[in-house]
Amino acid sequence: NAAAKDSSSEGAKSSGKSFTLVTPDAVGQNEFLKLAVDGVKAAAKAHDGTQKVYESSDTASQQQNVQAAVEAKPDVIVLVGFEFADLVAQQAKAHADQQFLMIDACTTKTFKNVGCAVFREHEGVYLAGAEAGLLSKSGKVGAVDVLDTPQFRRYSDPFAAGARKVAAKTSTSTRFVGGQSPFDDSARAKEQANSLLSKGTDQIMAAAAAGNYGVFEAAKAKGAFAYGVDVNQCVSSPGTVVDNVIKRTDVAVEKGIDQVLGGKAGTTVSYGLKEGGISLTGLEAGVDSSKCVIAQHKDVLTKVKALRDQIVAGELKVDDPAAS
Amino acid sequence: MFFDSDLLMSALRALTPILLAALGGALCERAGVFNIGLEGMMLMGCFTAVTTSWFTGSPWLGVLAAALAAAAYSLILAVGAVTLRGDAVVLGIAMNLLAVGLTSFLLRTVFGVQGTFDDPSLAGLPLVGGFSPLAYLAWAAVAVATLVLSRHVWGLRLRGVGEAPQAAATLGVSPAKYQYAAVLVSGVLCGLAGAQLALGNVTLFSENMTAGRGWIAVVAVMLGRALPLGVLLAALLFGLAEAAGFRLQGLGLPQQATDAAPYVVTLGALFLTTARRRRRTTPAGAVS
Amino acid sequence: MNRIAGALRSPVTFSVLAGVLIGALFLVGTGADPFTAYGAVLSGSLGADGIGSTLTTVTSVLGLALALAIPLRAGLINLGGDGQLVLGGMAAAVTGLYTPLPAPLTVLLALLAGMAAGAGYAALAALCENHFGVPLLVSSLLLSYPASSLASYLARYPLKEPGSSLPQTRQLPDGVALPAFGSSTVTVGLLLVALAAATYWFTDRRTAIGYEIRMTGLNSRFAAYAGVERGGLTLRLMATSGALAGLVGAIGVLSFPYRFLDGALTAPGYTWTGLTAALLAGAAPLGTVLASFFFAVLQVGGLSMERTTEVPRELTQVLQAIVIVFLAARLRFPRGRLRKKAAV
Amino acid sequence: MTPQRADAEVAVELRGITKRFPGTLANDAVDLTVRRGEIHALMGENGAGKSTLMSVLYGMERPDAGEIRIDGRTVTFADPGAAMAAGLGMVHQSFKLFDSLTVAENVVFAAEPRRFGLVDRAAARRRVRELAAEHGLAVDPDARVGDLPVGLRQRVEILKLLHRGARTLILDEPTAVLTPAEADALFTVLKSLTAQGRTVILVTHKLREVLEGSDNVTVLRDGRVVARLRTAETTADEIAAAMTGRAVELDRVHAPGTPGDVVLDVEDLTTDAVREVGLTVRAGEIVGIAGVAGNGQSELIEALAGLRRVTAGRVTLRGRDITHASATERRARGLAYVPEDRHAVGTAPAASVADNLAMGHHRRSLSSHGLLPPAAVRAHARRLVERFGVKAATPEVPASALSGGNLQKLLIGRELAHEAPLLLVEQPTRGVDIGAIQNIHDELIAYRDAGHAVLLVSAELSEIRGLADRVLVMYEGRVTATYPKDGADERTLGLAMAGGAAPVEVGD
Ligand SMILES: Nc1ncnc2c1ncn2[C@@H]1O[C@H](COP(=O)(O)OP(=O)(O)OP(=O)(O)O)[C@@H](O)[C@H]1O
Ligand SMILES: Nc1ncnc2c1ncn2[C@@H]1O[C@H](COP(=O)(O)OP(=O)(O)OP(=O)(O)O)[C@@H](O)[C@H]1O
Ligand SMILES: [Mg+2]
Ligand SMILES: [Mg+2]
């Protein structure tokens, strides 16, 4: 628990600001949460302040952690995830002088002391889908999601739409890991991927949390390709992972804190392709050293860049499954 | 085509860890020790297999270490339930809890990570004819267990110990010895099950990665009436139901329905088999 | 006085001390200071900041521990607490959302609906044993999964809050909530659970049915011989058990965040904690209460310890398991029936 | 004091065996000499230390002091396996058999003929047939032991010992569950074994068989040897006096009762193991049912008690049809029941004496409006403990701490206390010593004389003849004979129990 270690070094020199990050799950290998931790650390450094990370594991611990965070009265409490919407609404009302920053979600009502940052993952997933459509030889692409919930649908529905955009005849399919331990069950995720592969699918969007490793293994064994999320996952399975939908949570956290400290809480900032909050590894600098398969398909990247430009310019609108 | 060879392969892959663990559970059951800690023993196997394979570079050493570690872990049940005559159900549940806590704790201490340890250079088990060698071992274990239980002197004595421990004791057969042996062998089998899951089915360790498979093995022991072949059929039924569930998702069935399917199928199978058995045993019972 | 001396010499004291000691060794092994860590556990769970969370956790843990202890007293193991809990929560949510009555009445109705749903579903497991001969342990466990799946489906599709990204129902109307104590998270639910514990204690010690339940647990053939009807008792005990599990679910939904969120009720694993508490206490009422409280302290304190020190909370999980192992190895309770059942 | 033949060599010799349990001195410097080729009876009341002594000899208990000599050599047995290796073999009172295994598997268990480590089933079968033929112990090697009647199970137990080459056989109360005919057959087998030079140590409470079948008798009381007798030179009275320390009147036949109204009327009752049984029991009489175990007596009683489904027929209790009533309804209607198996059915050994005594009373005299005050339970327990002389430290001790005889007193006392018009009693004195038997018999007679109806099932013919006003014999699920009091001697009854009697009808 490196995060907590930093906090112990606060004390005398903490003339700066203090930030507390509360996560909905254990940070572990959750790339999305790791980035959030990076973001809050960067903010602490920038503001010569201190930071703490409270990791939750379930609804009960989320509640207890938020409670504890509020009682410690840091300058900003950062909360990552949809799960916190109700909690933040409750606490923001009860503690009007406490500043909150919500990442990846927002309260239904607007509070003057709550800043929000949300992502338009679907834009990035759409582009990954386009890559898949262009690269697929079988004309079949699919996705493996953790659970059948709206936020995970953001990783499957736009993927299908992107593929069909560039290759109209592409057939698409989605599997959900489910089971007793959906976020950790890589064996199950692997079998779900296998069931797609056995149908001839050769491009798979992997949004199975820890199960992604299982998806990559399955794809690798069948010589098929997969797409990672949040960070560059190509390194964990070079030659199999084509590209990744990058979500710059660190940026959102750091900028969000600035915005809240700057007195501009009460607003919601949306990060998409345009803002650089969402991207693909293939579209970033350093693609050639990323170990991603897409680095060998410059032609594909050219077409995808064109699509991106259309989206950024607002000429192309990507449907958001979570907005229904 | 719905029922194709891929479906069968998928079912067989899902089957292997469950089968290995359930065989261990069946042996314990036969020896009169109710082993509900299969899940925890398996998880210890997963962790040891990955750790050993990582540090030695040999998945085979990983398998060996997993078997040994899980067997050592199973001593908790053996000492607690056999020697100290504690409650096997409580011990089993505690072992499951302890395994989750301990492996997560060790994951942090040994690898400095949380959640999942995965590395491309972690060596997994090779595939032979589409399956890991442990899958073949599991099949062989069914045959061996059947033979030993039904024909070998050890099997006869084990069954005797499970049915009437004092009777066995008066004939100079130590129930404790056989019960220890059964629990330790179940430890070895669960260790292998864990190794298969972490180095065969996938190549990584993640917290709580057994995800209820040990419980399914417990159910398989009951459904299969603690007979190796029965256990095999029960595990196969479960594997097929799960693999079919994955396919049905492709046909548009909601994930929640396919999640529930294996359990509903198992319950249905239990209804059928116990109803049949009841009909058969009622007249027989009247004789005595 | 004898009792106090007995308690001090009891396996419980021994096991807790052994667990704490082994836990301390772990702590030293990882370079942490055991006193700081245990201090953090205690102050985090029993201090002013933590007691609220502890009591909230106690509400759920004790509720489920009681639910599982009641059939256990007669030697029946209900492994389906999760399913009954979730169905209870879902029933309460639906009632809370769609009852056109004044809020207080709606709350009452939602509690009753939750209990009814849990009771009905648990009774189903009893029927599986009584009529199909499927051991209760297995039938209750297997039935639990489809129940969770059903609730998950409902929260995801027909009852989903429009526009939300989470598989959750709409929030209950204003006022459809259990009153809380001050600004804390502790609600009247705690009182309901405490009332259930008191009732259980009274029934167990001082009523004829409680006596019959105890005797069934000690020797079911003996009880049957004297006229205690096994099937009927199983059904009633399971229904009571399910009703309590359902009540915990309803309390969960009628407390913050006042809606059914898929997985929220089961993720903290209260069912297992509750079952363990009940098993450890041999289903005795007072012991169940104490064990539940102990586990709640460990859970809340463990999280707090992780926040304030470097020690990961898994340690309290390990500690809890070690205490159980030690206790189980020295403690037995009547379970003759289970053995026979399990040996199908 | 030691009138033993000096010529035969000594097979087993125990010297100064002392065994202490917490709170009990079970064996106090016991000496026992058993000569080769004899049947040596070991007698004593419940708790006298017989089983303990045999456990010590057989390596199941370690003695605190003393020495064991087999064939003149001093030995120490770490476990029964070592004792078996030295040529000892023991048949325990409760059989130690594996019900789900076959006869052959039971016989060869732990001493299996093998081929490549596998059990050689053919050889095992052969071995059973050979031994059976040699010793007159015919039994089907492929039968499942669980399906066998008690008499055959005992044969399996003896075959087990013979298969292991036991030269000295220890039998703990082997005839407790046998009919006279079966017991006679057993003694024939034992005699032929001793004729071959084997030795038998017989633990028993039954004077008749000791007098008829043994060569020497050793009597224990309170863990000490109080008499060593040559059977040919002693009498039943002498042995009984040695066992109890006082003179006892043996085989009393009680005065007949005065039957009143019909309390229980059973017509053509049929269950899975009972065929068209009809009988009546009147107030103020004891009706005895004799029969070899496994001929439907237990099933009949269970059906009457409401614990077994009735497939046809009619049962009337005090004028009310109770054919399909539940056990609770029957009890409410006026029925009490002392079951055969006091540990598994009649009590909850882990529960306290007080809780055990409350069962059945807890819904009636002890409770009101469903409440059961602990004080009432305790007071009730104290009353019964005193009235029936149950030896228990306090009512709070678990019933498992009571000796067999005391547990039986507890059970009978509890059921008698219901004052129910009908009492069903199975094997009320099995394994109970002479003194306790007399107490129990007196209680039953007093209960009858108070105007209650009693239906008694017993394998003990002297008990049936001593107590019953009418005797029914059950054979293969049917009532095959009915006799009035003193209407049949033991021979006639024994014959009828073996299925060899023409039915004798007598009016009710
Ligand atoms: N394991 C034991 N622990 C404590 N006390 C025991 C134990 N076994 C026997 N005893 C006690 O030792 C004494 C002798 O018992 P033992 O079994 O030898 O009697 P017995 O002569 O065989 O009686 P019975 O006729 O009832 O079979 C009794 O008081 C009994 O309660
Ligand atoms: N652990 C024990 N503690 C106290 N008493 C015991 C114990 N084990 C046995 N006894 C008593 O010792 C006596 C003899 O025990 P044993 O095992 O020989 O029983 P038994 O002869 O089969 O019993 P029964 O008297 O019912 O025929 C019994 O009265 C029994 O209650
Ligand atoms: Mg005895
Ligand atoms: Mg006896």
Side-chain angles (χ1 to χ4, degrees):
Chain A
N1 195 358
K5 234 174 267 172
D6 292 4
S7 67
S8 57
S9 64
E10 66 183 289
K13 60 175 181 182
S14 79
S15 52
K17 303 286 186 186
S18 59
F19 312 115
T20 299
L21 172 72
V22 184
T23 69
D25 298 302
V27 175
Q29 296 299 88
N30 186 328
E31 302 298 348
F32 167 61
L33 296 180
K34 274 172 148 176
L35 285 176
V37 173
D38 290 348
V40 80
K41 280 184 183 163
K45 204 167 172 191
H47 293 277
D48 188 26
T50 59
Q51 49 81 23
K52 290 184 184 191
V53 179
Y54 293 174
E55 296 181 41
S56 321
S57 52
D58 53 68
T59 38
S61 53
Q62 284 159 13
Q63 214 162 327
Q64 288 168 33
N65 279 333
V66 171
Q67 191 80 37
V70 168
E71 271 151 19
K73 294 193 175 62
D75 290 286
V76 184
I77 298 176
V78 186
L79 306 108
V80 191
F82 299 92
E83 294 88 342
F84 289 107
D86 284 337
L87 264 172
V88 171
Q90 186 198 38
Q91 296 294 336
K93 208 158 106 187
H95 305 273
D97 47 353
Q98 173 68 54
Q99 299 295 315
F100 295 91
L101 171 64
M102 276 198 82
I103 305 292
D104 216 18
C106 201
T107 50
T108 354
K109 275 195 285 181
T110 311
F111 292 93
K112 276 214 290 293
N113 53 340
V114 179
C116 298
V118 297
F119 293 95
R120 304 193 299 279
E121 297 94 338
H122 43 286
E123 295 180 354
V125 176
Y126 185 88
L127 294 184
E131 289 179 353
L134 292 168
L135 289 172
S136 175
K137 298 208 169 64
S138 64
K140 291 175 182 167
V141 307
V144 177
D145 287 358
V146 174
L147 285 170
D148 183 5
T149 64
Q151 81 261 40
F152 282 109
R153 287 253 178 200
R154 272 189 170 176
Y155 289 93
S156 47
D157 297 1
F159 190 72
R164 278 199 295 269
K165 167 80 179 171
V166 296
K169 289 214 186 90
T170 307
S171 80
T172 64
S173 182
T174 304
R175 294 286 191 280
F176 301 96
V177 177
Q180 297 315 306
S181 189
F183 288 86
D184 307 320
D185 200 337
S186 27
R188 216 175 140 92
K190 188 173 175 178
E191 281 309 324
Q192 298 284 18
N194 274 325
S195 91
L196 285 175
L197 292 165
S198 72
K199 291 258 172 289
T201 306
D202 62 353
Q203 310 283 331
I204 301 180
M205 178 73 216
N212 265 13
Y213 304 105
V215 176
F216 298 157
E217 284 183 12
K220 186 174 200 150
K222 290 269 170 72
F225 298 94
Y227 297 78
V229 289
D230 294 338
V231 293
N232 180 9
Q233 298 196 301
C234 298
V235 285
S236 73
S237 199
T240 298
V241 182
V242 177
D243 207 342
N244 308 281
V245 179
I246 306 281
K247 190 162 157 182
R248 296 300 303 272
T249 319
D250 49 345
V251 175
V253 170
E254 210 183 336
K255 284 192 180 163
I257 287 178
D258 287 345
Q259 166 203 344
V260 169
L261 290 177
K264 278 190 281 178
T267 57
T268 299
V269 182
S270 175
Y271 292 90
L273 292 173
K274 187 176 172 190
E275 297 79 8
I278 293 290
S279 181
L280 295 184
T281 309
L283 300 177
E284 299 282 290
V287 58
D288 293 325
S289 61
S290 68
K291 296 196 178 169
C292 286
V293 175
I294 197 66
Q296 290 132 46
H297 298 280
K298 299 290 184 204
D299 50 330
V300 172
L301 276 179
T302 316
K303 290 182 190 160
V304 168
K305 276 179 183 150
L307 277 176
R308 178 202 48 197
D309 294 341
Q310 284 183 38
I311 295 172
V312 168
E315 294 157 19
L316 180 64
K317 177 114 179 58
V318 181
D319 283 336
D320 177 6
S324 63
Chain B
M1 211 176 84
F2 187 76
F3 284 98
D4 51 16
S5 64
D6 279 317
L7 179 84
L8 192 64
M9 294 286 273
S10 168
L12 290 180
R13 278 189 302 262
L15 166 84
T16 307
I18 294 172
L19 177 59
L20 282 165
L23 276 178
L27 280 182
C28 291
E29 186 66 52
R30 277 313 184 80
V33 181
F34 189 34
N35 189 343
I36 213 166
L38 301 175
E39 174 102 1
M41 282 152 60
M42 239 166 119
L43 192 58
M44 294 303 285
C46 291
F47 182 79
T48 317
V50 166
T51 316
T52 312
S53 174
W54 170 249
F55 285 110
T56 65
S58 158
W60 297 111
L61 285 178
V63 170
L64 186 70
L68 292 178
Y73 192 63
S74 73
L75 276 174
I76 296 180
L77 180 64
V79 174
V82 180
T83 306
L84 301 174
R85 310 205 159 272
D87 191 282
V89 170
V90 187
L91 281 164
I93 290 175
M95 284 171 74
N96 293 339
L97 258 175
L98 183 61
V100 176
L102 209 56
T103 51
S104 308
F105 186 81
L106 290 173
L107 185 66
R108 280 195 188 192
T109 2
V110 176
F111 294 105
V113 298
Q114 264 178 284
T116 304
F117 174 74
D118 168 81
D119 195 287
S121 58
L122 176 64
L125 290 165
L127 288 187
V128 183
F131 292 107
S132 106
L134 287 183
Y136 297 102
L137 186 77
W139 293 88
V142 174
V144 171
T146 305
L147 185 74
V148 167
L149 272 180
S150 67
R151 302 294 303 275
H152 198 275
V153 285
W154 295 340
L156 179 66
R157 294 175 189 189
L158 187 85
R159 283 185 286 145
V161 162
E163 180 174 340
Q166 296 106 327
T170 58
L171 292 172
V173 172
S174 153
K177 222 153 76 186
Y178 277 82
Q179 289 173 336
Y180 261 74
V183 172
L184 284 174
V185 170
S186 84
V188 167
L189 287 169
C190 285
L192 295 178
Q196 164 63 25
L197 191 61
L199 295 177
N201 287 40
V202 290
T203 314
L204 52 87
F205 178 83
S206 62
E207 279 176 22
N208 196 22
M209 72 183 293
T210 41
R213 287 176 179 81
W215 283 102
I216 292 161
V218 170
V219 173
V221 172
M222 295 189 181
L223 182 56
R225 281 187 269 159
L227 295 167
L229 272 176
V231 161
L232 170 65
L233 287 178
L236 194 61
L237 176 76
F238 198 90
L240 276 174
E242 190 167 274
F246 295 170
R247 298 304 173 92
L248 289 172
Q249 267 192 21
L251 300 181
L253 216 65
Q255 168 228 325
Q256 291 85 359
T258 62
D259 268 10
Y263 302 101
V264 175
V265 169
T266 307
L267 197 59
L270 271 169
F271 284 171
L272 292 179
T273 56
T274 49
R276 251 206 17 241
R277 212 178 318 152
R278 278 188 158 189
R279 234 172 289 136
R280 256 186 298 131
T281 50
T282 315
V287 175
S288 62
Chain C
M1 288 306 105
N2 256 342
R3 266 194 196 174
I4 296 172
L8 282 178
R9 269 183 280 116
S10 78
V12 179
T13 324
F14 171 81
S15 304
V16 172
L17 284 179
V20 167
L21 213 69
I22 294 181
L25 290 180
F26 264 92
L27 286 169
V28 173
T30 54
D33 175 13
F35 292 101
T36 322
Y38 285 139
V41 171
L42 287 181
S43 66
S45 56
L46 300 174
D49 293 350
I51 189 73
S53 296
T54 304
L55 290 178
T56 312
T57 307
V58 164
T59 307
S60 302
V61 173
L62 177 57
L64 284 163
L66 290 171
L68 302 171
I70 287 169
L72 190 63
R73 199 63 162 158
L76 305 168
I77 295 195
N78 173 10
L79 284 184
D82 269 346
Q84 296 145 22
L85 172 76
V86 164
L87 286 187
M90 189 40 105
V94 172
T95 314
L97 284 172
Y98 299 108
T99 307
L101 291 174
L105 278 181
T106 306
V107 170
L108 200 66
L109 212 58
L111 287 171
L112 290 176
M115 292 175 73
Y121 202 66
L124 207 57
L127 292 178
C128 284
E129 170 165 290
N130 291 349
H131 295 287
F132 295 98
V134 179
L136 191 69
L137 186 88
V138 183
S139 62
S140 59
L141 176 71
L142 287 179
L143 278 173
S144 182
Y145 299 111
S148 305
S149 295
L150 174 69
S152 168
Y153 177 81
L154 292 177
R156 170 67 181 93
Y157 293 102
L159 299 174
K160 184 179 160 302
E161 178 181 42
S164 164
S165 324
L166 287 171
Q168 63 184 14
T169 64
R170 280 185 288 123
Q171 204 159 40
L172 300 180
D174 268 352
V176 180
L178 286 173
F181 294 104
S183 63
S184 73
T185 51
V186 187
T187 65
V188 171
L190 180 64
L191 295 186
L192 293 178
V193 170
L195 187 69
T199 311
Y200 178 40
W201 176 84
F202 185 81
T203 309
D204 183 69
R205 282 282 106 205
R206 287 167 186 273
T207 67
I209 178 77
Y211 168 80
E212 288 179 354
I213 294 169
R214 268 191 296 131
M215 291 303 123
T216 306
L218 291 168
N219 181 358
S220 64
R221 288 185 65 193
F222 172 52
Y225 141 83
V228 178
E229 207 255 311
R230 164 79 195 287
L233 190 70
T234 305
L235 191 67
R236 276 183 292 164
L237 287 176
M238 280 303 283
T240 312
S241 171
L244 270 175
L247 175 68
V248 175
I251 291 173
V253 166
L254 292 168
S255 309
F256 182 80
Y258 313 110
R259 56 168 114 227
F260 183 93
L261 167 60
D262 186 26
L265 290 170
T266 50
Y270 294 137
T271 313
W272 281 116
T273 314
L275 178 64
T276 321
L279 281 168
L280 276 185
L286 225 54
T288 304
V289 174
L290 289 177
S292 303
F293 195 77
F294 177 63
F295 288 157
V297 163
L298 278 186
Q299 281 178 9
V300 175
L303 188 62
S304 161
M305 171 185 76
E306 189 183 65
R307 283 194 300 262
T308 51
T309 69
E310 297 172 38
V311 183
R313 98 190 66 146
E314 280 85 11
L315 188 91
T316 52
Q317 205 176 352
V318 172
L319 192 94
Q320 188 175 330
I322 290 174
V323 172
I324 298 166
V325 166
F326 272 85
L327 259 178
R330 318 189 74 239
L331 172 127
R332 272 189 296 171
F333 76 98
R335 227 195 64 248
R337 289 242 336 283
L338 178 73
R339 273 241 51 80
K340 264 172 251 139
K341 283 269 127 193
V344 196
Chain D
M1 181 76 184
T2 324
Q4 282 163 338
R5 291 174 304 181
D7 47 329
E9 55 180 303
V10 173
V12 173
E13 187 169 17
L14 299 177
R15 284 276 190 85
I17 297 291
T18 299
K19 177 70 193 175
R20 208 179 293 275
F21 290 115
T24 315
L25 185 56
N27 289 152
D28 185 3
V30 173
D31 294 339
L32 175 71
T33 307
V34 182
R35 282 163 204 281
R36 176 157 318 291
E38 74 164 330
I39 296 182
H40 193 112
L42 183 62
M43 300 201 68
E45 300 206 280
N46 291 126
K50 308 176 295 286
S51 298
T52 305
L53 190 66
M54 292 302 104
S55 303
V56 166
L57 172 58
Y58 200 52
M60 297 192 298
E61 299 274 6
R62 212 88 352 112
D64 298 318
E67 138 182 306
I68 302 172
R69 287 195 202 168
I70 305 290
D71 301 330
R73 267 200 311 274
T74 303
V75 290
T76 42
F77 298 136
D79 55 39
M84 270 184 275
L88 293 178
M90 180 155 173
V91 178
H92 298 263
Q93 179 175 359
S94 50
F95 295 154
K96 308 288 187 199
L97 293 171
F98 308 104
D99 284 355
S100 72
L101 304 185
T102 65
V103 168
E105 285 171 326
N106 266 283
V107 170
V108 302
F109 192 92
E112 305 87 350
R114 311 179 192 195
R115 254 191 354 218
F116 319 114
L118 301 185
V119 180
D120 186 343
R121 295 179 185 172
R125 260 184 236 120
R126 238 181 359 255
R127 177 79 175 143
V128 171
R129 286 210 192 86
E130 281 165 19
L131 285 171
E134 189 182 337
H135 300 284
L137 292 162
V139 50
D140 173 12
D142 292 318
R144 247 178 37 100
V145 162
D147 297 336
L148 296 181
V150 190
L152 288 187
R153 290 189 201 198
Q154 194 166 52
R155 290 189 175 180
V156 178
E157 285 278 19
I158 296 173
L159 285 172
K160 236 162 71 176
L161 306 187
L162 296 175
H163 169 64
R164 285 164 176 74
R167 279 166 287 129
T168 300
L169 282 71
I170 306 164
L171 294 98
D172 194 353
E173 298 192 39
T175 57
V177 291
L178 300 186
T179 58
E182 285 176 321
D184 288 346
L186 174 68
F187 275 95
T188 312
V189 170
L190 295 184
K191 291 221 166 99
S192 92
L193 289 173
T194 49
Q196 293 170 350
R198 293 181 212 259
T199 309
V200 172
I201 303 177
L202 184 69
V203 178
T204 180
H205 292 295
K206 296 187 185 172
L207 292 167
R208 186 189 72 117
E209 62 198 30
V210 167
L211 291 172
E212 288 174 9
S214 73
D215 299 307
N216 287 292
V217 186
T218 298
V219 181
L220 291 181
R221 187 166 77 230
D222 295 336
R224 267 188 298 268
V225 175
V226 291
R228 293 193 179 81
L229 305 162
R230 266 183 89 146
T231 311
E233 296 161 8
T234 188
T235 62
D237 289 322
E238 190 182 2
I239 301 176
M243 280 165 65
T244 56
R246 61 191 152 91
V248 270
E249 191 189 338
L250 294 166
D251 282 339
R252 277 188 300 175
V253 173
H254 297 266
T258 45
D261 296 339
V262 171
V263 173
L264 176 72
D265 188 9
V266 180
E267 290 168 39
D268 297 332
L269 181 75
T270 301
T271 74
D272 43 6
V274 177
R275 307 263 172 281
E276 296 164 1
V277 165
L279 60 89
T280 54
V281 187
R282 294 167 180 274
E285 75 166 347
I286 296 180
V287 172
I289 297 181
V292 178
N295 276 286
Q297 310 93 306
S298 304
E299 289 82 0
L300 170 66
I301 295 291
E302 281 177 16
L304 293 178
L307 301 177
R308 184 173 285 263
R309 218 165 60 85
V310 173
T311 48
R314 219 171 102 91
V315 182
T316 314
L317 178 60
R318 296 206 291 155
R320 173 93 58 87
D321 186 336
I322 56 157
T323 314
H324 300 289
S326 71
T328 316
E329 287 160 353
R330 286 167 204 244
R331 281 184 172 262
R333 190 76 203 128
L335 175 152
Y337 171 33
V338 177
E340 171 176 3
D341 191 335
R342 48 192 180 243
H343 296 282
V345 179
T347 60
S352 70
V353 165
D355 277 348
N356 270 290
L357 283 169
M359 185 53 97
H361 300 277
H362 71 286
R363 284 277 182 200
R364 310 172 70 182
S365 58
L366 297 183
S367 69
S368 63
H369 308 294
L371 298 185
L372 184 67
V377 171
R378 271 195 305 272
H380 170 79
R382 273 195 295 270
R383 270 199 310 276
L384 290 193
V385 161
E386 188 176 342
R387 176 172 155 202
F388 292 98
V390 180
K391 288 202 195 75
T394 71
E396 270 71 46
V397 298
S400 58
L402 299 187
S403 78
N406 269 308
L407 194 67
Q408 187 69 355
K409 282 188 210 163
L410 177 153
L411 176 50
I412 289 181
R414 181 186 70 212
E415 295 304 310
L416 290 183
H418 283 297
E419 299 285 342
L422 174 68
L423 176 70
L424 308 175
V425 207
E426 283 182 275
Q427 317 293 357
T429 58
R430 174 175 291 171
V432 171
D433 65 56
I434 298 172
I437 287 175
Q438 286 193 343
N439 277 336
I440 291 172
H441 284 179
D442 289 346
E443 289 285 357
L444 290 176
I445 289 293
Y447 195 70
R448 176 198 70 183
D449 291 344
H452 301 113
V454 178
L455 182 59
L456 165 74
V457 170
S458 176
E460 208 63 63
L461 286 188
S462 59
E463 178 163 277
I464 292 264
R465 294 189 59 238
L467 295 179
D469 297 305
R470 274 185 301 133
V471 181
L472 313 183
V473 178
M474 276 188 82
Y475 181 70
E476 293 191 339
R478 296 174 195 277
V479 173
T480 53
T482 309
Y483 302 101
K485 193 171 182 75
D486 300 325
D489 55 20
E490 293 210 0
R491 246 187 68 81
T492 318
L493 276 178
L495 212 64
M497 286 160 68
V504 182
E505 293 298 336
V506 289
D508 284 341

